[in-house]
Amino acid sequence: MLEEVERWLTRRSWSAADHPPASAQAAACGAQGTGVSVVLPALNEAATVGDIVATIRRELMEKVRLVDELVVIDSGSTDATAEVARRAGARVVHRDAILPRVPAVPGKGEVLWRSLLVTGGDIVCFIDADLRDFSADFVSGIVAPLLADPEVQFVKAMYDRPLGDADGQGGRVTELVARPLLNLHWPLLAGFVQPLGGEYAVRRSLLERLPFPVGYGVELGLLVDALHTVGLDALAQVDVGRRVHRHQDGQALGRMAAAIYRTAQVRLSRGHLVRPSLTQFERGPHGFVPHTYPVDTQERPPMREIEEYIARRAA
């Protein structure tokens, strides 16, 4: 590990317990005039989204006023995700209702990008909607460094990720794809424990300057582009304990890995992507059957280039 990264680990890595309680953070928000928006991208997460929304609303909007708005962006769920989230206290916006002149494409990054148009906070905190045993520390822990230090721009959560009964075995795409890519090509990011984690808080002034990969590559893309835009010392991470969520099967992980590799490739070369598809195999009644999937090749431009966003911020 580079000496610069070792110094960064001591300077920019904390535990949630290292920071003031949410009540003190709320007071800091008031004193600074800083608004905090929490965004949950959701696709068929009716089983978990309600508990997450209810916890954030109770702990960080009613007991203390740390979070100003709580928005669930529905990606086209076919279950009761939108209803459950709304009943629990979130504002629910359908992906397709945001920036309708630009047809939406499937993907997590697409939803995160569009969320900037329907939120107003100076700090935007993204939280995955499939978390179980959710704690408000996932929000307050990663917002705290942004309130405490104006130099900090981007904060990722770090945590243990159990796989079944085995602690620390989650994050298979992280260990097999993302971590090797970062160590080899962006060694300044080698200190991030969970580079692909979906829980992070970022200043809007930085987010609106970054392009968003539309799919699973969004977390790696934002992290790499933030490094090049504001430098390592503006990035940080906070230990929030343990993250329990729904794991995907190996086929889905393969598609995720391809999208992440593609995101890295584009950032390495900014050139033509060779063969933007992935073929996987499933056993059928007569042998293995190939299934070919497109790999996300599209990115959304920095939000500050979008006319509707410019007009909304000027209003």
Side-chain angles (χ1 to χ4, degrees):
M1 184 177 289
L2 298 174
E3 288 185 11
E4 184 175 351
V5 177
E6 292 180 353
R7 292 194 297 271
W8 175 84
L9 279 169
T10 62
R11 174 174 164 77
R12 292 300 196 208
S13 292
W14 300 283
S15 165
D18 295 333
H19 293 284
S23 57
Q25 293 179 44
C29 281
Q32 298 171 16
T34 299
V36 176
S37 300
V38 175
V39 171
L40 278 69
L43 177 63
N44 295 329
E45 302 295 356
T48 51
V49 69
D51 287 341
I52 298 171
V53 168
T55 298
I56 295 171
R57 186 160 194 86
R58 180 181 65 250
E59 300 295 329
L60 302 178
M61 300 182 79
E62 295 172 356
K63 288 186 179 179
V64 301
R65 188 69 180 182
L66 176 60
V67 172
D68 297 281
E69 59 180 347
L70 174 55
V71 183
V72 170
I73 310 293
D74 184 11
S75 296
S77 299
T78 56
D79 67 1
T81 291
E83 179 186 350
V84 170
R86 193 176 292 112
R87 192 166 57 240
R91 176 162 61 97
V92 179
V93 184
H94 195 285
R95 174 199 63 197
D96 296 347
I98 307 170
L99 197 62
R101 73 171 176 85
V102 179
V105 298
K108 180 182 180 182
E110 177 83 351
V111 172
L112 300 186
W113 180 73
R114 289 174 185 265
S115 76
L116 297 182
L117 268 163
V118 293
T119 56
D122 307 287
I123 294 170
V124 182
C125 179
F126 298 122
I127 301 291
D128 280 350
D130 66 342
L131 303 187
R132 300 196 299 272
D133 302 327
F134 178 77
S135 164
D137 286 345
F138 273 77
V139 175
S140 59
I142 58 177
V143 167
L146 296 165
L147 297 174
D149 188 342
E151 299 300 317
V152 175
Q153 299 281 312
F154 189 123
V155 183
K156 295 278 290 191
M158 56 178 168
Y159 32 66
D160 294 315
R161 294 184 66 183
L163 179 61
D165 296 328
D167 285 334
Q169 297 302 307
R172 291 160 288 173
V173 176
T174 292
E175 299 303 330
L176 295 175
V177 181
R179 201 176 308 285
L181 282 171
L182 293 176
N183 276 263
L184 291 170
H185 299 296
W186 296 281
L188 287 176
L189 297 175
F192 276 92
V193 176
Q194 297 291 353
L196 300 185
E199 292 71 44
Y200 45 105
V202 193
R203 296 193 192 279
R204 177 178 295 271
S205 57
L206 173 58
L207 280 176
E208 65 188 12
R209 298 163 63 189
L210 303 178
F212 278 62
V214 299
Y216 283 124
V218 64
E219 270 82 32
L220 183 134
L222 290 177
L223 191 59
V224 169
D225 291 342
L227 172 69
H228 291 307
T229 303
V230 294
L232 179 62
D233 200 49
L235 314 181
Q237 61 185 349
V238 174
D239 187 350
V240 296
R242 194 167 185 262
R243 183 187 197 266
V244 181
H245 69 120
R246 172 176 46 79
H247 290 283
Q248 302 197 55
D249 62 29
Q251 296 271 310
L253 294 178
R255 297 190 290 275
M256 185 184 301
I260 289 164
Y261 180 81
R262 175 262 168 191
T263 301
Q265 182 191 40
V266 167
R267 276 149 183 78
L268 286 168
S269 66
R270 293 292 175 183
H272 176 65
L273 176 65
V274 177
R275 194 163 186 246
S277 62
L278 173 73
T279 298
Q280 297 176 315
F281 294 87
E282 296 179 4
R283 183 179 290 280
H286 304 293
F288 286 101
V289 179
H291 297 276
T292 299
Y293 302 90
V295 174
D296 296 320
T297 58
Q298 189 172 359
E299 295 196 5
R300 295 305 191 187
M303 187 56 78
R304 66 178 183 175
E305 298 176 9
I306 301 299
E307 293 177 7
E308 289 87 342
Y309 185 78
I310 296 169
R312 185 177 187 274
R313 298 294 287 174

